[in-house]
Amino acid sequence: MTTTEKPETAAAAGAPEYKVIGTRPVRPDGVDKVTGRAIYGADVRLPGMLYGRVKRSPHAHAIIKRLDVSKALALPGVQAVLTHEDFPEPAEPIMQTIRGPQPTAWDTERQMARRKVLFKGHPVAAVCASDVHTAEDALDLIEVEYEVLPAVVSLDTALLPGAPILHDDGKADAVEGLFELVDGKPSNIARRLDLTVGDIEVGFAEADVILEREYETSMAHQGYIEPHNGTAIWNNDGKLTIWTSTQGAFGIRQNVARTLNIPLGDLRVVPAEIGGGFGAKNVVYLEPLAALLSKKTGRPVQITMNRTEVLEATGPTSGTRSWVRMGAKRDGTIVAADIRLEYEAGAYPGSPMPGGARCALGPYAVPHQRIVGFDVVVNKPKVAAYRAPGAPASEFAVESLLDELAERLEMDPMDLRLKNCATAGTPRSDGATHGSIGAREVMEAVASHPHYRSEMGGRDVGRGVAMGFWQNGGGESSAYANVHQDGRVTLVTGSVDIGGQRAALAMQFAETMGIPYEDVNSLVGDTDTIGFTGNTGGSRTTFATGWAVYQAALDVRAQMEQRVAQMWEVDPSEVTYDPKDATLRGPEGKEITFKAAARRLPGTGGMIQGQADIVATNVGKVGACYGAHIADVEVDRETGKVTILRYTAVQDVGRAIHPAYVEGQIQGGAVQGIGMALNEEYVYNDDGTMVNSSFLDYRMPVANDVPMIETVMVEVPNPGHPFGVRGVGEVPIVPPLGAIANAIFDAVGVRVTRLPASPRVILEELEAAGGT
Amino acid sequence: MRANPEARPIAGGSDLLGWIKEDVQGTGEPRWNLLVDIRTIPGSDEIRFDEADGLTLGPLATLDAIEHSPEVQDRYPVLSRAAGAAASPNIRHVGTIGGNINQRPRCWYLRNTEFDCYKKGGNFCFAVTGKNEYHAILNGELCYIVHPSDAAPALMALHADATIRTADGEQTMPFDEYFIGPRQDVLRENVLQQGDLLTRIHMPTPSPNAGMSFIKAQRRGETYDFAVVNVATVIVHEGDQIEDASIVLSGVAPTPFRAVAAEDALRGQTVSDGLLQQAAGAALLRARPMTENAYKVGISKNLIVRSVREAMA
C-alpha cells in the first residue's frame, strides 16, 4: 500500500504536471535479470581464461615470518603465484580518501599483506590455474609461517592501555591527525572528531530532565547476493582491461591504477551488471590481483569470492558503542546533547564514525551540542560504506534516548520530535545550516498517519517510532545522448545501475525532451566510453546523474533548434523546442516534430549527440533526506522472539521519479535496518575468527520474516534540482533500529540498548528487569 | 560401502554436499571419494499407514511428502509439523526424513575449517571457552553440540523405532537408543557405523486420546532456521487427566533430549499451572548452561509448558 502526499509547500510552489516522471515503467534490465540472461561479473568468459584463488591468513593478527610459494608453483596446472613482492611501490606516499589522508602503502597492504596480517582472511598470496580446483589445491601448498600476536577484537580491548597496537610501522607518522599519541603512547585510535555547537554546560544548566545511556550495535554485512569478483586481461601493449562488479567503474580505475602504478589511460574498467552493493562495492579487493596474475601469465584471469570470503574479508559496517546524554526542559524543548561515538574501523582507519557524528542529531534543532567521535582500529576486516554509513548506530542511540525522554516527560514521542524539529536555517552539527528540508513534513505525516493513530490490542505488543536523517551526496556525473534517425535516443551515463537508475535517468531525459520513456535506450558506459562519473553511492545517482541527463537533453534540444533553423533558413533564436509535445516551432507557424526533424538530420550535417558533464555541489541544498518509521511488534516473553506485526515507512523523497523503485529503496532499506535491529551480527571468537561466516549462521531477514512494508512518500521538492529530486536510497536503513527498540519497550517495558535484539538479548533483559 | 571407508551414501544431499564443499572434514573421518546414490532403492521412500500396524516410513521419504501426507497430518500431526518446520520448501522437497535425523550438527566451530575440535578428531571443544550462545545446556560432555533435527524429537515423542542394516544383519531399536552422545563416540551422533544404513522407521498407532504439539523457537521470523530449542510433545489424556506424556526437545543437548523427569511428573496427574511449572522445572534440573546460553533454559521450560497445554487443547 502506498500513498503520496503532496504537502502545502509543494502545492504552493505549483508542482508541475509531468508526463513521464511519476509513472512506473519497466526497467530496461528487467527482462534480462528475471530470465537469467544478464551478464554479471562472474559470468564473464574470455578465451584462455585462468581462474584465481586467494590464500588468506588464518590469524587475525600476526607477523609473516616466512612465505614460500614454490610448492604451489610446481603443482601441474598452476600458472602463476602472486605475493606482496609483485606489487609496485606507491608513487605517492600519501593518498586521499573520503575519510582523510592515509599512507598509500596501507591500501596495497590491505589487498595483499606485507609484513603483518591484520585480520583473519587478509590475503597473503594468490594463485591462478587452468581451473579453480587446481588453484584451490595450490593454496594448501603455499607455506606461511606466522608469529601470532594477540588479536584486538573489541572496542574494549582496542582501547585498553597496553592493548596490542595494530599499526606500529610508523607509516602514520607522516599524516597529521592520524594515530596521534594518546597520553604520550601509541594507541588504536586512528582519528578523533570533535563537533561543537553552542555550549553544553549552558544547555544542561537549562535542563529540567537529563538522561544518559550507552548503546551498542554489532558489525553487520551488506549481504548482497553477488559475491565480489574481478576479471582482468593485461595485454602486451600495456593496456589493462578489468570487468568487475562495482558501484563505480571510475573509482575502481583510480584505485587500481594507483595500486599498480600505471597511467589511468592504460586502464579500462567495464562495470558488469551488479548483484547488490549497498556501499561495499566501491572498494577494490580482487581486481589488482587478477591484473597482476594476468600480467604474469599473459592470459585473462578471473577471481571470485565465496560467501565466507565475502563475510570475513570484505567491508561490513562498524561495530559501535554510543554514549548519549540529553537534557530537555519540562515542556519538551531539548536544550543540550552530549554524544560520544566509538566505531570500529576494522584493520585500517576509516570507520563511518564521521557520518554517524554528523547525522546523530540531524532531525532536530539542538542549541547546545558536543559530539566526540573515535575511529578505532581492530583486527577485523576494514569496514566499508553501508547504506547511510555510520548513521544507523548513532541515530539508534539518539532515537532510543528521545523515546525515553518522551516517556519521562509524559509526551507523545512524535510531539516531542515535532517540538524540536529541524527546519531550514537550523544549525547542523557540522557547523553548516540546514537548507530546504522536509523533516517537519515527515514528522507531521507520521503523526497523522492512520497507523500511528490506530489502537493497539493484545498482550506484549508495542509500537515504536524513530526518525532518520542522511545528508546525501552530489558530485560529478557525465551523460551523452545519441539521437537516432527514427527519433529514438540512446542515453549513456557512467552511473552503475543498482536500484533502477537506468529507468530513472531515462525518465528524466524523456521528460525533458517530451518524448516517451520507451524511446530512450538507457545504457551504462565504461571508463573509456563515458566521461568521469562518481560512484553510485551516497544516494547521488538519480539526483546528480539525473541532472546530467537533464542537461544533456537541453543540449539535444538546443542543437535541434539550430538544425531546424538551418532547415527553415531562419535565425536559431526564432526556433523553440517545446517539450510539451516534443515539437520545434518557428516563425509563421512553422513546426516540426522532434521525430520528423531527427529523420532529416543526416542530410543537414549529420546526427547529433547531446552531452553534459556536471558537478552537483549545491551544498546545503543537495537534498538532505528524512525518513520516519512506525513499527508494531509482538514480543514472545517465553522465547524472546520479536515479531513485526505492522511497519510503515514515511520518507521525504523530494520528487519520486519512478515511484515503484523509490518504494523498493525504502522497503529494502527498512528490511536491512530490521536485520540490524533483530538478527544480524558478526560473532567473533577471542582470537579474531568470525564463527558465523555463512548465511546459515549470519542471519538476514528474508521476505517472509517481515510484513509488507507500507511506504508513504512525502514530496518536498529539492529546490537544488531541476525536478526536485532528493536521494532516497540510504536514509530508510536508519530508523528501523530505534523504531524497533522503542516498540520492544512499549511491548514489554525493557530498553534494549545492544543490537541485535536476539532471543538471548530479549530474555536476558527481561530477566534483568524481573519480568519473565 | 562397507568395504570402502571413503564411500558415503547420498540421498537428498542437502547437508552432505555442503559438508564436502565447505571442506570441514577433519582427521576423524576419511575424505569421501565415492558417493553412493541410495535414492534408487525401491520402496525406500514409502509412507504407509495401517490402523493396526501404525506408520512405516522409508528413510528416503521427503520431508515435504511426510508433512503433506493425509495420514500423517491426521494421526501424527506432531510429525507433520516437525517435518514442515525444517529448512525451506526447496530443501524439504529434496531432503529426506533419514537425512534430517542423520544430518551433522550445526556447531559453528565444527563447521569452520579453522577449528580442529573433538568432533573432527581433534582434542578440544572451542564452545566451552568461546561463543556458546546456541550450544548445549544439557548432557554436554567433551563436545557441546546440539542436535539439529526437527523431525527427530517428533519421532522419539511418537515412540518410533529405527531399523538399521549392519554387517550383522538387520536390527531394530527405539530412537531413544539410536542417537548417541559424545561420551559414547564423539565422532558420531547415532549408532550407524561405516556401511550401515537406516532402512525403516516405524511407529505405533497413537492412542485416540493422544494430543500432540510441535513448537520451534528460532531466531528469524518464519524462515530457514535451525531451532534454538524445539519440543515435540504427545500427551495421552482424558480431559485434564494425563495418562501418559512423551516430551522430547532438540537444540538443547547433543542428542534429542527426552524430558523424562517432566514425563514422570505429569503421568497420572491432573493438569494445572503448578504441575506444568514443576514438570518443566524438573526436566531442566540438570541443565548446565555455559557463559552465553542460560537463556535457553528458560525457553526450554516455557516451551515444555506451552506444548503440553497445546497438546491438551
Side-chain angles (χ1 to χ4, degrees), chain A residues 219-240:
Chain A
M219 206 164 162
H221 200 273
Q222 296 83 351
Y224 29 83
I225 295 173
E226 180 203 22
H228 292 259
N229 55 72
T231 307
I233 173 75
W234 202 331
N235 278 325
N236 289 335
D237 62 2
K239 299 281 187 189
L240 170 61

mmCIF file of all heavy atoms in Angstrom, chain A residues 219-240:
data_model
loop_
_atom_site.group_PDB
_atom_site.id
_atom_site.type_symbol
_atom_site.label_atom_id
_atom_site.label_comp_id
_atom_site.label_asym_id
_atom_site.label_seq_id
_atom_site.Cartn_x
_atom_site.Cartn_y
_atom_site.Cartn_z
ATOM 1 N N MET A 219 28.700 -5.275 14.347
ATOM 2 C CA MET A 219 29.148 -5.266 12.966
ATOM 3 C C MET A 219 28.094 -6.010 12.116
ATOM 4 O O MET A 219 27.571 -7.033 12.555
ATOM 5 C CB MET A 219 30.448 -6.054 12.949
ATOM 6 C CG MET A 219 31.395 -5.733 11.876
ATOM 7 S SD MET A 219 32.975 -6.456 12.426
ATOM 8 C CE MET A 219 33.808 -6.467 10.885
ATOM 9 N N ALA A 220 27.810 -5.467 10.946
ATOM 10 C CA ALA A 220 26.812 -6.116 10.082
ATOM 11 C C ALA A 220 27.253 -6.005 8.630
ATOM 12 O O ALA A 220 27.871 -5.015 8.239
ATOM 13 C CB ALA A 220 25.446 -5.448 10.264
ATOM 14 N N HIS A 221 26.924 -7.018 7.880
ATOM 15 C CA HIS A 221 27.333 -7.032 6.475
ATOM 16 C C HIS A 221 26.184 -6.616 5.571
ATOM 17 O O HIS A 221 25.026 -6.862 5.884
ATOM 18 C CB HIS A 221 27.837 -8.423 6.061
ATOM 19 C CG HIS A 221 28.688 -8.377 4.819
ATOM 20 N ND1 HIS A 221 28.150 -8.448 3.559
ATOM 21 C CD2 HIS A 221 30.015 -8.215 4.659
ATOM 22 C CE1 HIS A 221 29.131 -8.351 2.667
ATOM 23 N NE2 HIS A 221 30.268 -8.207 3.308
ATOM 24 N N GLN A 222 26.554 -6.016 4.451
ATOM 25 C CA GLN A 222 25.558 -5.564 3.473
ATOM 26 C C GLN A 222 24.763 -6.737 2.923
ATOM 27 O O GLN A 222 23.596 -6.599 2.552
ATOM 28 C CB GLN A 222 26.246 -4.828 2.326
ATOM 29 C CG GLN A 222 26.950 -3.547 2.743
ATOM 30 C CD GLN A 222 28.346 -3.786 3.312
ATOM 31 O OE1 GLN A 222 28.757 -4.916 3.560
ATOM 32 N NE2 GLN A 222 29.074 -2.723 3.538
ATOM 33 N N GLY A 223 25.406 -7.895 2.814
ATOM 34 C CA GLY A 223 24.678 -9.103 2.447
ATOM 35 C C GLY A 223 24.171 -9.157 1.023
ATOM 36 O O GLY A 223 23.191 -9.842 0.738
ATOM 37 N N TYR A 224 24.837 -8.462 0.115
ATOM 38 C CA TYR A 224 24.439 -8.540 -1.288
ATOM 39 C C TYR A 224 24.518 -9.985 -1.777
ATOM 40 O O TYR A 224 25.333 -10.777 -1.335
ATOM 41 C CB TYR A 224 25.321 -7.656 -2.178
ATOM 42 C CG TYR A 224 26.715 -7.486 -1.651
ATOM 43 C CD1 TYR A 224 27.687 -8.434 -1.878
ATOM 44 C CD2 TYR A 224 27.036 -6.380 -0.865
ATOM 45 C CE1 TYR A 224 28.956 -8.286 -1.360
ATOM 46 C CE2 TYR A 224 28.307 -6.226 -0.339
ATOM 47 C CZ TYR A 224 29.269 -7.190 -0.592
ATOM 48 O OH TYR A 224 30.516 -7.048 -0.063
ATOM 49 N N ILE A 225 23.643 -10.309 -2.737
ATOM 50 C CA ILE A 225 23.584 -11.688 -3.215
ATOM 51 C C ILE A 225 24.861 -12.056 -3.955
ATOM 52 O O ILE A 225 25.389 -13.155 -3.808
ATOM 53 C CB ILE A 225 22.372 -11.857 -4.167
ATOM 54 C CG1 ILE A 225 21.082 -11.645 -3.380
ATOM 55 C CG2 ILE A 225 22.392 -13.245 -4.809
ATOM 56 C CD1 ILE A 225 19.853 -11.629 -4.265
ATOM 57 N N GLU A 226 25.379 -11.120 -4.753
ATOM 58 C CA GLU A 226 26.507 -11.445 -5.623
ATOM 59 C C GLU A 226 27.845 -11.211 -4.916
ATOM 60 O O GLU A 226 28.158 -10.084 -4.535
ATOM 61 C CB GLU A 226 26.453 -10.535 -6.872
ATOM 62 C CG GLU A 226 27.582 -10.792 -7.848
ATOM 63 C CD GLU A 226 27.864 -9.582 -8.740
ATOM 64 O OE1 GLU A 226 27.513 -8.458 -8.349
ATOM 65 O OE2 GLU A 226 28.450 -9.771 -9.805
ATOM 66 N N PRO A 227 28.659 -12.255 -4.765
ATOM 67 C CA PRO A 227 29.980 -12.061 -4.163
ATOM 68 C C PRO A 227 30.874 -11.208 -5.077
ATOM 69 O O PRO A 227 30.624 -11.071 -6.280
ATOM 70 C CB PRO A 227 30.540 -13.478 -4.042
ATOM 71 C CG PRO A 227 29.359 -14.372 -4.117
ATOM 72 C CD PRO A 227 28.384 -13.664 -5.016
ATOM 73 N N HIS A 228 31.933 -10.678 -4.493
ATOM 74 C CA HIS A 228 32.879 -9.871 -5.263
ATOM 75 C C HIS A 228 33.569 -10.725 -6.325
ATOM 76 O O HIS A 228 33.747 -11.934 -6.155
ATOM 77 C CB HIS A 228 33.945 -9.282 -4.337
ATOM 78 C CG HIS A 228 33.401 -8.257 -3.403
ATOM 79 N ND1 HIS A 228 33.536 -6.911 -3.606
ATOM 80 C CD2 HIS A 228 32.685 -8.389 -2.267
ATOM 81 C CE1 HIS A 228 32.941 -6.255 -2.628
ATOM 82 N NE2 HIS A 228 32.420 -7.126 -1.801
ATOM 83 N N ASN A 229 33.980 -10.075 -7.395
ATOM 84 C CA ASN A 229 34.680 -10.771 -8.466
ATOM 85 C C ASN A 229 35.525 -9.763 -9.228
ATOM 86 O O ASN A 229 35.317 -8.556 -9.127
ATOM 87 C CB ASN A 229 33.669 -11.448 -9.411
ATOM 88 C CG ASN A 229 32.655 -10.458 -9.944
ATOM 89 O OD1 ASN A 229 32.979 -9.624 -10.779
ATOM 90 N ND2 ASN A 229 31.437 -10.522 -9.437
ATOM 91 N N GLY A 230 36.472 -10.280 -9.978
ATOM 92 C CA GLY A 230 37.273 -9.408 -10.831
ATOM 93 C C GLY A 230 37.880 -10.234 -11.948
ATOM 94 O O GLY A 230 38.366 -11.344 -11.723
ATOM 95 N N THR A 231 37.797 -9.711 -13.167
ATOM 96 C CA THR A 231 38.377 -10.391 -14.322
ATOM 97 C C THR A 231 39.278 -9.382 -15.024
ATOM 98 O O THR A 231 38.859 -8.241 -15.241
ATOM 99 C CB THR A 231 37.273 -10.858 -15.286
ATOM 100 O OG1 THR A 231 36.326 -11.630 -14.553
ATOM 101 C CG2 THR A 231 37.852 -11.701 -16.414
ATOM 102 N N ALA A 232 40.502 -9.804 -15.355
ATOM 103 C CA ALA A 232 41.442 -8.858 -15.954
ATOM 104 C C ALA A 232 42.189 -9.493 -17.110
ATOM 105 O O ALA A 232 42.490 -10.697 -17.084
ATOM 106 C CB ALA A 232 42.448 -8.392 -14.903
ATOM 107 N N ILE A 233 42.466 -8.674 -18.114
ATOM 108 C CA ILE A 233 43.391 -9.067 -19.181
ATOM 109 C C ILE A 233 44.376 -7.911 -19.374
ATOM 110 O O ILE A 233 43.984 -6.787 -19.648
ATOM 111 C CB ILE A 233 42.655 -9.448 -20.492
ATOM 112 C CG1 ILE A 233 43.648 -9.677 -21.629
ATOM 113 C CG2 ILE A 233 41.628 -8.425 -20.908
ATOM 114 C CD1 ILE A 233 44.400 -10.956 -21.555
ATOM 115 N N TRP A 234 45.641 -8.246 -19.154
ATOM 116 C CA TRP A 234 46.707 -7.226 -19.282
ATOM 117 C C TRP A 234 47.495 -7.584 -20.536
ATOM 118 O O TRP A 234 48.279 -8.519 -20.548
ATOM 119 C CB TRP A 234 47.611 -7.254 -18.041
ATOM 120 C CG TRP A 234 48.362 -5.966 -17.848
ATOM 121 C CD1 TRP A 234 48.762 -5.088 -18.788
ATOM 122 C CD2 TRP A 234 48.778 -5.413 -16.587
ATOM 123 N NE1 TRP A 234 49.401 -4.021 -18.215
ATOM 124 C CE2 TRP A 234 49.432 -4.189 -16.863
ATOM 125 C CE3 TRP A 234 48.664 -5.827 -15.247
ATOM 126 C CZ2 TRP A 234 49.979 -3.382 -15.854
ATOM 127 C CZ3 TRP A 234 49.204 -5.035 -14.256
ATOM 128 C CH2 TRP A 234 49.851 -3.821 -14.554
ATOM 129 N N ASN A 235 47.259 -6.819 -21.588
ATOM 130 C CA ASN A 235 47.850 -7.156 -22.876
ATOM 131 C C ASN A 235 49.311 -6.740 -22.962
ATOM 132 O O ASN A 235 49.782 -5.918 -22.190
ATOM 133 C CB ASN A 235 47.063 -6.491 -24.006
ATOM 134 C CG ASN A 235 45.823 -7.293 -24.359
ATOM 135 O OD1 ASN A 235 45.852 -8.520 -24.302
ATOM 136 N ND2 ASN A 235 44.749 -6.599 -24.688
ATOM 137 N N ASN A 236 49.997 -7.303 -23.939
ATOM 138 C CA ASN A 236 51.418 -6.996 -24.129
ATOM 139 C C ASN A 236 51.670 -5.523 -24.424
ATOM 140 O O ASN A 236 52.752 -5.006 -24.172
ATOM 141 C CB ASN A 236 51.987 -7.829 -25.285
ATOM 142 C CG ASN A 236 52.092 -9.287 -24.881
ATOM 143 O OD1 ASN A 236 52.186 -9.589 -23.703
ATOM 144 N ND2 ASN A 236 52.064 -10.174 -25.860
ATOM 145 N N ASP A 237 50.674 -4.848 -24.991
ATOM 146 C CA ASP A 237 50.864 -3.428 -25.290
ATOM 147 C C ASP A 237 50.701 -2.549 -24.054
ATOM 148 O O ASP A 237 50.709 -1.321 -24.159
ATOM 149 C CB ASP A 237 49.900 -2.984 -26.395
ATOM 150 C CG ASP A 237 48.439 -3.138 -25.987
ATOM 151 O OD1 ASP A 237 48.185 -3.559 -24.827
ATOM 152 O OD2 ASP A 237 47.558 -2.843 -26.798
ATOM 153 N N GLY A 238 50.519 -3.175 -22.905
ATOM 154 C CA GLY A 238 50.428 -2.408 -21.668
ATOM 155 C C GLY A 238 49.022 -1.984 -21.299
ATOM 156 O O GLY A 238 48.806 -1.379 -20.258
ATOM 157 N N LYS A 239 48.061 -2.309 -22.156
ATOM 158 C CA LYS A 239 46.677 -1.923 -21.863
ATOM 159 C C LYS A 239 46.012 -2.990 -20.999
ATOM 160 O O LYS A 239 46.044 -4.187 -21.322
ATOM 161 C CB LYS A 239 45.878 -1.768 -23.162
ATOM 162 C CG LYS A 239 46.437 -0.697 -24.093
ATOM 163 C CD LYS A 239 46.026 0.688 -23.658
ATOM 164 C CE LYS A 239 46.454 1.715 -24.709
ATOM 165 N NZ LYS A 239 46.276 3.088 -24.231
ATOM 166 N N LEU A 240 45.417 -2.513 -19.948
ATOM 167 C CA LEU A 240 44.763 -3.410 -18.997
ATOM 168 C C LEU A 240 43.257 -3.165 -19.021
ATOM 169 O O LEU A 240 42.814 -2.015 -18.945
ATOM 170 C CB LEU A 240 45.319 -3.139 -17.587
ATOM 171 C CG LEU A 240 44.632 -3.778 -16.391
ATOM 172 C CD1 LEU A 240 44.670 -5.298 -16.481
ATOM 173 C CD2 LEU A 240 45.307 -3.323 -15.095
#
